[in-house]
Each structure stands twice: as C-alpha cells, then as structure tokens.
Amino acid sequence: VQLMESGGGSVQAGGSLRLSCEASGYDASRYCMGWFRQAPGKEREGVALIESDGPTSYALSVKGRFTISQDNAKNTLYLEMNNLKPEDTAMYYCAATRGLVWIGYCEFPDSKSTDFGYWGQGTQVTVSS
C-alpha cells in the first residue's frame, strides 16, 4: 500500500489549498482514512476523517473551514482547506487503516493515530500572517 500526498504549499492567512492523497494497492472494503498534521515541536494531531461509506469527522480547530472528501474511482482522498490560519502551518499526512474491513472508530475524539497502519510521506503547508 502506498499513499502519496500532494498539493501543499505556502499561502497567506485567509487563503485556500487543496491537498490530495492518491492510494495505490489499497483494497479495503470498509475503512477509515484521514488527514493528520504535525507542527514542529508538537504532537501529531488528527484533522479530518472519512469512512468508506461517507461519514466524516473533523477536529474542532478546523470544523467549518476544512472539508474531507474522496473519489473512489480515482482512489484519491482530498482535503479542501479554506480560511487558512498561521496555526494551520504543519506537515500534513494522509493515513488509512489496515485490513480489509475496519470495525473500529472513525470519528473524533475516539480515533487515534495508532489506529492507522498506512501513512504517506507528508506535504508541507505554510500559512503566513
């Protein structure tokens, strides 16, 4: 399984970015996928989650500004980020659960980064004030 993120960059506060995560070799029929981020000196935190059949969950810090979506035909996960703030600056990672059928949580605050067995390399998002 490979997860490949793209779409990061540098924007000014109030701007927008769209991250993409292309999955290859991932054939789970029921899964949880999501976006996490890690800023320098801080712990990795969950940003947005999506279940295979559509329900989504967001961290309070991004709710109303970020939107997670998926295109199953393209095996691609997206994160639309609007009204970006300097505190959104971080490395953003795409993640997916292991196994063919995920029966655990796929929502905050119950989902943990340890639930996810597959990770991408990350894409940097930098927001300047």
Side-chain angles (χ1 to χ4, degrees), residues 14-30:
S16 299
L17 283 173
R18 188 194 197 200
L19 306 183
S20 299
C21 171
E22 185 173 353
S24 58
Y26 190 57
D27 56 0
S29 59
R30 183 174 176 179

Side-chain angles (χ1 to χ4, degrees), residues 1 26-33 95-104 114-119:
V1 176
Y26 190 57
D27 56 0
S29 59
R30 183 174 176 179
Y31 57 80
C32 179
M33 292 189 73
T97 49
R98 283 192 187 275
L100 296 177
V101 178
W102 176 250
I103 59 173
T114 50
D115 293 338
F116 297 83
Y118 301 112
W119 293 84

Side-chain angles (χ1 to χ4, degrees), residues 28-106:
S29 59
R30 183 174 176 179
Y31 57 80
C32 179
M33 292 189 73
W35 292 93
F36 291 74
R37 67 187 182 186
Q38 188 166 19
K42 294 188 177 181
E43 291 187 357
R44 186 172 296 187
E45 62 173 353
V47 174
L49 303 171
I50 188 166
E51 293 185 45
S52 46
D53 54 353
T56 59
S57 181
Y58 296 91
L60 289 177
S61 59
V62 306
K63 204 167 188 178
R65 301 188 296 123
F66 291 11
T67 302
I68 189 171
S69 63
Q70 58 189 345
D71 185 333
N72 292 330
K74 296 182 179 179
N75 296 319
T76 302
L77 182 72
Y78 301 99
L79 184 68
E80 185 76 34
M81 305 185 294
N82 297 313
N83 190 20
L84 282 160
K85 303 176 181 181
E87 52 263 42
D88 295 318
T89 295
M91 185 71 79
Y92 283 70
Y93 299 90
C94 170
T97 49
R98 283 192 187 275
L100 296 177
V101 178
W102 176 250
I103 59 173
Y105 291 109
C106 189

